[in-house]
C-alpha cells in the first residue's frame, strides 16, 4: 500500500491525535528555544496564516469547491472585533461574536451559493468578498476606510493581560494551540458520519440524493465551518496586531490562502497549515533579497502542482509510509 | 392511509424533450412483491420512465403512486426515504469512498441497517475496505446495486444492473435478486437487455417502444408476440 491515493482523503488512523499531540507539545517548546523576537513574530504570523489556509483547504477538501473569498471571513472577524469594542460591547463578547457572526453569515450565504458549482461558485465568492472590501474601504465613517482602525482592547480580556496576545512569544503559543485545536476538531469532523456524507456529496451529489440525503445544507454547513476557521484566524490577527485595515478582506489574501492550501496539500486536514507556514517563510526569505517574492511563490506553486499533486503534505505522508512501512498520516 | 394492490404505479406519464415525447402517456402498475421486467430497444424510454418514477425528471406530467399514495410532488430524497430506491444504468457510485463507508452511509437513512447482509449477499464483504474506484467493474456494478438494496427499500427500480457483466455473472446476479426479493418481499421493476435474466426471474414483462407500451404479459406470452419479436427481441430469441 504505497499508493498515496489510497487513504489521504480520509484520515482514519487513530495514531493521528497522538502525532498531533506530540507536535503540539513540541511547538509549545519553541518560544522557549527561539530567542529572536523577529523570528517569533514571523512564527506567530505564519501560524495565523496557517489557520486561514486550514479553513480554505477544508472547504476544498470536503466540498471540492474553490473559494476566492475566504479573506472576507478573516477580515470581517477582525473588523467585528474592532467595531463591536468601539460600540461599547465587552471585549470578551466582541471576541466571541467576531467568530460567530461571520460563521452565521457564511451559513446563510452558503445555503444560497453552494448550489452553484465550479468556476461560477468561485467567482461568486470573489464578488461577495470584494463587496465587503469595498464597503470597508469606502465607508470612512464606519472604520476609517483605507487608513484602517486601531482596536481599543481593554487591559485584560478573559482575565488575561492583553499583552499576552500582543507579545510574540506568548501569542505564538496561543496561535499554535488554536491551530492544533482546529486541526484536531476538523480531523474528528472529517471522520464522523457527517464528514463521510460531505465527501460523498462532493464526489457524487446526485447519488447522494438517491441514497436519501439532502445535499445543500451539509455543503452550506461545511462552508460555514471553513469560514469559522478563517474567522478564528482573523480574530487572532486582530488580537495580535490591535489594528485592522481593508487589506484583511482583499482577494489577494484569499488567493494567498488558496496557494498555501495547494502547496501543503488540501486532501490532508493539516496540509494547508503546513502550506501556510511554508508560504510565509518563503515570502520572508525571498523578500529579503528580492522585491519579486511573488515570483518565488509562483515557481514553488508550479513545482508543487506539477511534481507533487498531493502537496508537500502528501509527500511527507508518502515518505513516512516508506520509512515506517505503515501508515504515517 | 390508502392501501393499494400496487406497490408502485405510474399513471399517464409523459415526458418530452423539446417536441419529442420520450415517454408518451404510459401507465404501469406493479403489484406488491412482483418482479416486473421492463424491456424495449435503445431509446424506448425505459430510463426515462425510471427517472419519472424516482423524481429525477424535472418536467413531466402524470402521477406516481406508491402503495396508493400520491408521491408525484415528492423529490428524489423524499421518495428514497419513503422506500423507493433505484440503481443506475451508468455506474453511479462514490469512487473515493470505501465500499463499507458508502453502504453504511446509505443504510443510515433507513430504519434498518442491513449493510452487512447486503455486502455479504453481493460478495462485497471482502472488499469492504477498498476504495470503490479500485475494485473491478463487476464489483462496482454490484456496489451500485448494493446502494439501492441497503435499508431494505419496499420498491426497487433497477436500470440494467447486469450491463457489462459476463453471462455467468449476470445469472448469479439474477439469482441473488430473485432470492432477496422473495425474502424481503420487495417489489422490483427491472430494466434489462439480457433476456436470460429477464425471463428467468420476472413473473411479468412490460415492453416499451418509442415511449409507449407495446405489450404486457408473462414471459411466455411476450415471447410469442410477433411485434415484440420484430421490435425488440429480433432473431436472438429462439
Ligand atoms: N436529457 C435528454 N434530453 C433529450 N433527449 C433525451 C434526454 N434523455 C433521454 N432522451 C431521449 O429520450 C429517449 C428515451 O431515452 P431513454 O434513456 O429513456 O431510453 P432507454 O430506453 O433507457 O434506452 P437504453 O436502452 O439505451 O438505455 C431517447 O431517444 C433519448 O435520446
Ligand atoms: Mg436506459
Amino acid at each position: 500500500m504505497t499508493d498515496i491515493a489510497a487513504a489521504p482523503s480520509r484520515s482514519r488512523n487513530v495514531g493521528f491525535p497522538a502525532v498531533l499531540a506530540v507536535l503540539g507539545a513540541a511547538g509549545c517548546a519553541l518560544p522557549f528555544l527561539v530567542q529572536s523576537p523577529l523570528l517569533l513574530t514571523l512564527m506567530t504570523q505564519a501560524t495565523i496564516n496557517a489557520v486561514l489556509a486550514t479553513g480554505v483547504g477544508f472547504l476544498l477538501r470536503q466540498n471540492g469547491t474553490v473559494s476566492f473569498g475566504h479573506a472576507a471571513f478573516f477580515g470581517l472577524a477582525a473588523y467585528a472585533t474592532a467595531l463591536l469594542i468601539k460600540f461599547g460591547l465587552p471585549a470578551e463578547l466582541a471576541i466571541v461574536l467576531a467568530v460567530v457572526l461571520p460563521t452565521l453569515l457564511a451559513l446563510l450565504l452558503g445555503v444560497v451559493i453552494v448550489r452553484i458549482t465550479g468556476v461560477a461558485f468561485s467567482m461568486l465568492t470573489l464578488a461577495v468578498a470584494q463587496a465587503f472590501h469595498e464597503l470597508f474601504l469606502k465607508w470612512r465613517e464606519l472604520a476609517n476606510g483605507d487608513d484602517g482602525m486601531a482596536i481599543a482592547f481593554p487591559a485584560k480580556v478573559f482575565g488575561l493581560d492583553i499583552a499576552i496576545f500582543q507579545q510574540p512569544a506568548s501569542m505564538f503559543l496561543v496561535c499554535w494551540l488554536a491551530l492544533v485545536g482546529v486541526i484536531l476538531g476538523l480531523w474528528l469532523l472529517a471522520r464522523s458520519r457527517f464528514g463521510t456524507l460531505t465527501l460523498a456529496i462532493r464526489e457524487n451529489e446526485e447519488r447522494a440524493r438517491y441514497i436519501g440525503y439532502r445535499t445543500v445544507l451539509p455543503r452550506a454547513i461545511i462552508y460555514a465551518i471553513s469560514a469559522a476557521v478563517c474567522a478564528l484566524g482573523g480574530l487572532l490577527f486582530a488580537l495580535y496586531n490591535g489594528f485592522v485595515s481593508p487589506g484583511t478582506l482583499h482577494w489577494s489574501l484569499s488567493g494567498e490562502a488558496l496557494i498555501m492550501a495547494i502547496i501543503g496539500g488540501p486532501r490532508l486536514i493539516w496540509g494547508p497549515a503546513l502550506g501556510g507556514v511554508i508560504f510565509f517563510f518563503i515570502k520572508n526569505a525571498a523578500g529579503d533579497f528580492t522585491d519579486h517574492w511573488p515570483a518565488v511563490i509562483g515557481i514553488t506553486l508550479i513545482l508543487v502542482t506539477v511534481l507533487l499533486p498531493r502537496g508537500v503534505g502528501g509527500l511527507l505522508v508518502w515518505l513516512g509510509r516508506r520509512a515506517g512501512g505503515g501508515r504515517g498520516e | 392511509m390508502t392501501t393499494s394492490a400496487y406497490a408502485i404505479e405510474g399513471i399517464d406519464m409523459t415526458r418530452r424533450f423539446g417536441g419529442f415525447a420520450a415517454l408518451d402517456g404510459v401507465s404501469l402498475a406493479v403489484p406488491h412483491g412482483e418482479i416486473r421486467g421492463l424491456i424495449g430497444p435503445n431509446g424506448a424510454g425505459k430510463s426515462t420512465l425510471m427517472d419519472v418514477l424516482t423524481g429525477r425528471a424535472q418536467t413531466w406530467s402524470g402521477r406516481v403512486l406508491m402503495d396508493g399514495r400520491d408521491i408525484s410532488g415528492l423529490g428524489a430524497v423524499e421518495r428514497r426515504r419513503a422506500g423507493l430506491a433505484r440503481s443506475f444504468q451508468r455506474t453511479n457510485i462514490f469512487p473515493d469512498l470505501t465500499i463499507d463507508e458508502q453502504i453504511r452511509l446509505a443504510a443510515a437513512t433507513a430504519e434498518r441497517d442491513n449493510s452487512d447482509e447486503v455486502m455479504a449477499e453481493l460478495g462485497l464483504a471482502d472488499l469492504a475496505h477498498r476504495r470503490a474506484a479500485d475494485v473491478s467493474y463487476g464489483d462496482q456494478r454490484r456496489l451500485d446495486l448494493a446502494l439501492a438494496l441497503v435499508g431494505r427499500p419496499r420498491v426497487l427500480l433497477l436500470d440494467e444492473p447486469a450491463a457489462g457483466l459476463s453471462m455467468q455473472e449476470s445469472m448469479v446476479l439474477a439469482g441473488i435478486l430473485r432470492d432477496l426479493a422473495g425474502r424481503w418481499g420487495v417489489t422490483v421493476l427491472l430494466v434489462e437487455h439480457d433476456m436470460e435474466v429477464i425471463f428467468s426471474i420476472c413473473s411479468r414483462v412490460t415492453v416499451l417502444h418509442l415511449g409507449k407500451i407495446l405489450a404486457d404479459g408473462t414471459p411466455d406470452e411476450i415471447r410469442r408476440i410477433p411485434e415484440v419479436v420484430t421490435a425488440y427481441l429480433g432473431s436472438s430469441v429462439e
Side-chain angles (χ1 to χ4, degrees):
Chain A
M1 289 281 270
T2 49
D3 176 14
I4 60 168
S9 71
R10 287 169 310 288
S11 329
R12 84 166 57 76
N13 188 342
V14 239
F16 181 79
V19 174
L20 196 62
V22 170
L23 281 176
C28 290
L30 281 178
F32 302 99
L33 301 175
V34 175
Q35 297 302 323
S36 153
L38 180 65
L39 185 54
L40 276 172
T41 299
L42 286 179
M43 282 161 46
T44 307
Q45 289 171 337
T47 311
I48 293 172
N49 268 289
V51 173
L52 174 66
T54 301
V56 174
F58 190 66
L59 182 70
L60 198 52
R61 181 188 195 271
Q62 295 299 126
N63 278 7
T65 51
V66 172
S67 167
F68 285 140
H70 263 42
F73 304 115
F74 182 90
L76 283 176
Y79 269 110
T81 314
L83 290 172
L84 292 174
I85 289 178
K86 181 181 158 190
F87 297 151
L89 260 66
E92 289 79 9
L93 186 57
I95 284 172
V96 171
L97 289 177
V99 176
V100 171
L101 294 179
T103 306
L104 288 179
L105 174 73
L107 187 63
L108 294 178
L109 192 63
V111 170
V112 179
I113 68 172
V114 298
R115 295 166 201 262
I116 295 141
T117 53
V119 178
F121 172 84
S122 302
M123 289 300 122
L124 252 174
T125 60
L126 176 63
V128 170
Q130 282 304 95
F132 281 112
H133 177 257
E134 287 298 299
L135 180 77
F136 281 96
L137 191 65
K138 299 280 160 63
W139 191 1
R140 296 195 58 85
E141 296 74 22
L142 180 69
N144 300 338
D146 210 8
D147 297 336
M149 67 184 286
I151 307 172
F153 283 115
K156 281 187 185 298
V157 283
F158 295 113
L160 296 170
D161 204 337
I162 188 70
I164 289 180
F165 300 103
Q166 301 190 328
Q167 277 159 10
S170 49
M171 187 54 174
F172 173 75
L173 274 181
V174 172
C175 293
W176 181 255
L177 290 175
L179 178 63
V180 169
V182 162
I183 290 176
L184 182 63
L186 294 182
W187 182 80
L188 289 171
L189 185 77
R191 62 205 303 278
S192 69
R193 173 148 282 152
F194 181 72
T196 309
L197 170 63
T198 47
L199 277 192
I201 294 171
R202 180 198 76 190
E203 291 237 280
N204 190 341
E205 181 160 5
E206 175 181 61
R207 188 72 204 231
R209 274 188 272 113
Y210 282 95
I211 59 172
Y213 290 98
R214 279 170 221 295
T215 56
V216 170
L217 193 58
R219 290 161 66 87
I221 290 173
I222 291 293
Y223 185 75
I225 290 170
S226 80
V229 173
C230 294
L232 177 65
L235 169 66
L236 294 171
F237 175 90
L239 282 166
Y240 186 48
N241 293 288
F243 180 81
V244 53
S245 70
T248 56
L249 295 156
H250 197 252
W251 67 264
S252 58
L253 182 60
S254 302
E256 284 182 7
L258 201 56
I259 292 173
M260 295 172 203
I262 292 167
I263 289 178
R267 303 203 89 188
L268 297 155
I269 298 282
W270 51 269
L274 177 68
V277 173
I278 294 172
F279 181 101
F280 205 78
F281 280 95
I282 290 181
K283 178 173 161 178
N284 276 282
D288 282 347
F289 56 85
T290 169
D291 287 341
H292 300 297
W293 64 265
V296 180
I297 296 277
I299 292 166
T300 312
L301 183 63
I302 291 168
L303 287 178
V304 167
T305 43
V306 172
L307 300 177
L308 302 171
R310 284 173 192 277
V312 178
L315 176 70
L316 291 184
V317 169
W318 184 73
L319 289 174
R321 292 227 178 102
R322 280 196 35 164
R327 306 173 57 154
E329 195 152 341
Chain B
M1 193 172 140
T2 355
T3 44
S4 160
Y6 301 115
I8 183 83
E9 188 174 3
I11 301 168
D12 197 20
M13 297 177 288
T14 298
R15 176 152 161 77
R16 295 180 188 282
F17 297 108
F20 167 72
L23 209 58
D24 195 0
V26 169
S27 296
L28 174 96
V30 187
H32 289 282
E34 180 175 313
I35 304 185
R36 169 73 59 93
L38 181 64
I39 64 173
N42 291 114
K46 306 181 296 293
S47 296
T48 305
L49 191 150
M50 294 263 176
D51 290 348
V52 168
L53 291 179
T54 55
R56 191 191 204 196
Q58 296 294 320
T59 50
W60 58 285
S61 62
R63 289 166 68 207
V64 177
L65 311 181
M66 204 175 144
D67 291 329
R69 171 184 163 218
D70 195 325
I71 58 166
S72 310
L74 301 185
V77 176
E78 291 98 339
R79 291 191 200 187
R80 166 71 198 223
R81 292 197 169 215
L84 175 64
R86 76 173 288 179
S87 72
F88 289 81
Q89 182 170 359
R90 256 186 342 119
T91 308
N92 203 346
I93 56 178
F94 305 99
D96 206 30
L97 298 189
T98 66
I99 288 176
D100 184 71
E101 279 173 330
Q102 52 197 290
I103 289 183
R104 286 188 196 286
L105 193 62
T109 60
E111 284 164 28
R112 216 171 338 194
D113 183 346
N114 59 342
S115 308
D116 292 319
E117 183 187 10
V118 167
M119 281 192 276
E121 290 285 351
L122 292 177
L124 295 170
D126 291 341
L127 304 170
H129 295 291
R130 303 268 300 275
R131 273 168 86 234
D134 297 338
V135 301
S136 72
Y137 177 78
D139 291 328
Q140 290 180 351
R141 289 302 301 168
R142 278 191 287 278
L143 174 59
D144 194 312
L145 182 62
L147 289 176
L149 280 172
V150 81
R152 285 204 187 184
R154 287 183 292 142
V155 178
L156 198 54
L157 309 185
L158 304 178
D159 201 348
E160 303 198 26
L165 298 186
S166 73
M167 195 148 75
Q168 198 196 347
E169 284 177 316
S170 299
M171 292 320 291
V172 170
L173 189 71
I176 295 171
L177 277 179
R178 181 176 42 204
D179 198 43
L180 287 183
R183 243 189 305 146
W184 297 353
V186 56
T187 306
V188 181
L189 181 63
L190 174 67
V191 170
E192 189 48 67
H193 276 292
D194 187 331
M195 289 306 117
E196 294 280 346
V197 171
I198 288 281
F199 291 140
S200 70
I201 67 173
C202 297
S203 42
R204 279 188 90 78
V205 178
T206 299
V207 185
L208 206 59
H209 186 55
L210 296 175
K212 288 195 157 79
I213 290 185
L214 182 71
D216 188 296
T218 65
D220 280 340
E221 287 163 1
I222 293 298
R223 263 193 267 237
R224 278 189 226 104
I225 301 174
E227 295 153 282
V228 174
V229 176
T230 47
Y232 183 48
L233 300 178
S235 52
S236 70
V237 169
E238 52 271 47

